[in-house]
Amino acid sequence: MARLGRLGFLGLAVLFHLIYIYSIFDIYFVSPIVHGMQQYRVDAPAPAKRLFLIVGDGLRADKCFQSHDDPDYPSENRYLAPFIRSKVLNDATFGVSHTRVPTESRPGHVALIAGLYEDVSAVTTGWKLNPVNFDSVFNESRHTWSWGSPDILPMFKHGANDESRVDAFSYDEEMEDFTADSIDLDIWVFDRVRELFESAAHNDSLNAMLRQDKVVFFLHLLGLDTAGHSYRPYSAEYLRNIKVVDEGVQQIHKLVNDFYGNDDKTAWIFTADHGMSDWGSHGDGHPDNTRTPLVAWGAGIKKPVASKVLEVTGHEDGFSGDWGLGAVRRVDVAQADVAALMAYLVGLNFPVNSVGELPLEYLDANASVKAEASLANARQILEMYKVKEEQKKSTTLRYTAFVPLSEGEQSLESRFVEIRGLIDNGSHERAIEKCVELIKVGLEGLRYLQTYDWLFLRSLVTAGYLGWIAFSLTTVIDLHVLHGRTEPTRTRWSSIFFISGLVAIYSILMIQKSSWTYYAYAFFPAMFWEEVYARKNSTAEGIRRLVAHLDTWSAYMGLGAKMVGFLVLLEAMVYGYFRREVFTGCFLLATIWPLLYGPGFLRKNKLLAASWMVCCSLMSTFTLLPAIKQESENLILLGGFFMFSLGLLYMMFGETIVNGGDGAQVARSQDWVSKSILGLQLGLIGLSMFVTRSSVRSLQAKLGLPLGNQAVGWLVLVFSIACPFLHGIRPQSHYFHRLVVIFLTFSPIFVILTISYEGLFYVMFCLTLVAWVRLEHKIHLHSYRKLPKSPRSREGEMKDASSGPDETLKKNSTASTAGPHAPCPQAWRELTLADARIALFFFFLIQVAFFGTGNVASVSSFSLDSVYRLIPMFNPFAMGALLVLKLMIPFAVISANLGILNRRIGVAPSSLFMIVMAISDVLTLNFFYMVRDEGSWLDIGTTISHFCISSMLGVFVSALEFVSEVFVGGLEWRTGTPCPPPLLP
């Protein structure tokens, strides 16, 4: 491979990481959907002719069943869903339905209605415009009526084999206003259901359709989700919405019973698609998001069982200890089990892709019917196994069968024959046990087939990440230590070895008809390791140059200790993804960093060292604050006040601050034009504080978002981004002025999109970055003067010093033409081992940008409160874009600071970024093997988030390199320090 330049390396980094991010979905979350299965249903009369599925979107199990202070009568503590509660105590079987990640509306409804857990990436395909491409209860019904959100209903209507079989009635999107009263959404649904049954009185054809068997009614109630997002699930609004839902269900229950004359042929399922975190979000695997209520009653459903007669009551985990329902048994299920239950109740075919296990504890049926139902459930699940196994056999060179279902007595047919014999002989309980056992084995078999290629793929991905790390470090040494003075050395046999290995892997992939991504997973390791091998000589030469100044065993031992500490800090950052307090410890440890350079350094830089210690100490407090934040007008305005004050101080005393800073360069005097532009930026901060204060008060008072506030908010956002370009009228070349302009540019945006202490974090983060840049520069000067020089180097430096630093810099700027041993090629010095510390600091500060105000490894840490100040209507992608903008602001600031630091210490712009891109994948590999697709829901969601974030850092850093160049373009540099000569003659 030809030597990559800066842009080529960054482009390759982006391409590699984007492709390899997808690897977890190819390995851990392959779509379980297959086609061509035979359908099965229970060979027994259906207990119900019709079924009502009522989904309270975003309803948590605990909030549904606990007692609360009545939002309308705060002095009274009561249960807010008395009708549902009465069913639990008298008529229903109830429990907790456990969802899976991502805890979003689409995958939640797919699990409930189709019995299928879509692969995690399916949530990115959208809600409305992507119809389900698999079987569902609605598709199997004779007719389905559905009411609710336009974000949910269309995908099941358009995904049905016959769209006329599913009627979907949705309200307008404008009703999904997070600043309006959410109960109107649910009242709309109840009113439309009532209208349907009332219109049947004078519509004979509709009346006849409603009285058919195998019909389903689906009520999607979005009010709870909207209230939870807007006001949190512990708010009066959310709790009041629970009351509205309960009253609405009671009214519909009476209406239906009256319409059908209490014929006892109606089954009812009340549940939720996902829960809601305490900070008003969902999406990850937190238990508050995965535990939803399930209450089933009516035809075919068993009455409640008194828990005092049972050894296992279902309440052993303590979760339902304060619900006051300990007298009846709690029966928990997986969310996909609900689809199997609904199919049984109205006599439908089980959805062919369903992995739900029919919860027999919910059935009011004798042992014979339960045995037949369990056998049909087992046949349906094992039918998927048979089809998947045939597909795997046809694409695998040497297929290894799943032993428990292989030939002989353990084969599928022999097991089914045995179960049928038990049923025919009246051994129903034994037959049920065998069916349950077979279902478990079948699901294990599906799991076996799902993970069949894991070892192969994980090996490829691991080799790819390790190859990237080695390739990156090799490239850094080649470009920024040796400055491209050596060429790769390839041999015929090495080329044959790598090409043969790649051809062999590709042959296997072609035979197995693998996805195109598999070819990419194989290509990158071969390319990286071939290049590393070809540059082994230059790598060895670069390492010799890097350690040339180490002349004693104690020096080498010290280097080894630093390398161990380097890896320990990287692993500490891994742990910091689980415990934010780790970053607090790292900041406190960083406060003593200046002390390591001796009393002489501290005497010369005592003010700078003190400011660094203060900044680190204050920064250490943010990762101790709760990640779950409530909206605080005072903290928002306090953050804005500090932003405004810092800008005002610079505008008033900027020349003194800049020219008296570190003597690096003298700034041009600020004329009235420059100060006017700074004043405009300060005015935007003040305006953002004013409009945010007004919007917060209006939204908290439930008066909605005034149109004027929304317009002003958007104008502030747009003009704050445009303002920096006005400084081109009177450009200032000092780096500190540029950093202030960048700080003021993003301040209004941060005020508008802040709900709590994030503004204070932004202020301290920016101050810490400035202190870091100046401290690193001083340490560079201090360390440079202490570097040992060879006689030849000393002679050259003495000549340079006698001619002055400016002449030296001028001479170095043309040194690239001086031959292969030029002292400072292209005006950039070569990297040293000390620069690895700078890269580590930069990488650590990137992590702080993520975790300083919350654990964004959990998607639920994103609060939508601030977004409502700009977008009150539900628009997930636009809202997400604003949240990402807020998230990216600290990254933009840190990129500008690193770009400036690069220039001040004389290293090439991309050199430190390259090191960071290499070490970041140490974290990625950790998280790659931590990814889980089973176990607790919290573990699954957290591990996916961690891997994606750590892997995306490679892409972020690549983008930051370009952002950095934009921010530091046009600045003038007078470092006052000659470019260091090579350490080796």
Side-chain angles (χ1 to χ4, degrees), residues 339-350:
L341 175 61
M342 293 192 295
Y344 160 79
L345 290 173
V346 284
L348 306 178
N349 291 323
F350 290 109

Side-chain angles (χ1 to χ4, degrees), residues 790-853:
S790 64
R792 179 176 172 182
S793 299
R794 293 192 193 99
E795 182 181 353
E797 185 176 346
M798 290 175 64
K799 291 180 179 179
D800 289 339
S802 65
S803 61
D806 290 338
E807 293 183 25
T808 301
L809 187 62
K810 181 178 180 181
K811 181 170 63 178
N812 285 336
S813 67
T814 60
S816 59
T817 63
H821 299 289
C824 190
Q826 299 178 1
W828 306 121
R829 68 172 177 85
E830 64 185 47
L831 292 179
T832 66
L833 291 175
D835 295 315
R837 181 202 67 246
I838 300 176
L840 183 63
F841 259 109
F842 174 61
F843 188 57
F844 169 73
L845 291 169
I846 287 178
Q847 310 300 316
V848 174
F850 269 108
F851 293 95
T853 61

Side-chain angles (χ1 to χ4, degrees), residues 654-707:
E655 295 175 25
T656 303
I657 295 172
V658 171
N659 296 330
D662 52 18
Q665 65 188 113
V666 178
R668 178 185 302 171
S669 298
Q670 294 182 19
D671 58 13
W672 69 272
V673 175
S674 181
K675 289 188 176 182
S676 297
I677 300 171
L678 288 173
L680 176 61
Q681 291 188 283
L682 291 179
L684 288 173
I685 295 176
L687 183 58
S688 68
M689 293 170 63
F690 175 80
V691 72
T692 299
R693 175 175 175 270
S694 174
S695 297
V696 167
R697 294 188 174 184
S698 179
L699 292 172
Q700 289 180 347
K702 304 182 187 65
L703 300 177
L705 178 66
L707 182 60

